Amino acid sequence: MDTTAWLVIGAVLALLTMGVAGVLLVRVFRARKLLVDAGIPLHNKALVWAAVIYTVSPVDLLPDPVYLDDIGFLMLALRSLHAAARAAGAGGRAERAGETQHLVP
């Protein structure tokens, strides 16, 4: 393959990456709005952002080929956020569907 083909492939990959990053950014802002509206405490939200920063940072407890520390920290943060959302009464669609099933005889 010549240089032009590699440049085109690189440009297409860069555009795809930017598109995925844009979609993720929109989802982050929507999630942020939901978290603000739900009344979840700041320390739970900060734990999630700390987990995201830790995941993308080059500093790790375990070497980079082993992502167990990153995954564990993210799971801990999401579990904490989920528990805080449940305590704040911000249940998901599945919980609301389950509540309506209990009301119907």
Side-chain angles (χ1 to χ4, degrees):
M1 291 175 62
D2 61 342
T3 307
T4 307
W6 284 111
L7 288 174
V8 169
I9 291 171
V12 168
L13 288 176
L15 287 173
L16 286 172
T17 302
M18 288 174 44
V20 169
V23 168
L24 289 176
L25 189 63
V26 168
R27 287 184 179 184
V28 164
F29 281 118
R30 285 183 182 165
R32 183 183 177 279
K33 183 180 181 327
L34 288 173
L35 290 174
V36 168
D37 293 343
I40 294 174
L42 179 62
H43 68 276
N44 292 103
K45 292 185 274 189
L47 183 62
V48 171
W49 287 110
V52 170
I53 291 170
Y54 177 76
T55 301
V56 297
S57 76
V59 178
D60 279 335
L61 293 175
L62 297 174
D64 247 351
V66 180
Y67 292 110
L68 293 177
D69 59 332
D70 297 331
I71 293 169
F73 196 32
L74 281 172
M75 286 177 58
L76 175 70
L78 290 174
R79 177 180 251 180
S80 170
L81 185 65
H82 183 70
R86 185 176 290 158
R93 287 181 286 195
E95 288 180 13
R96 280 181 264 153
E99 291 173 4
T100 57
Q101 289 175 356
H102 292 296
L103 296 176
V104 177

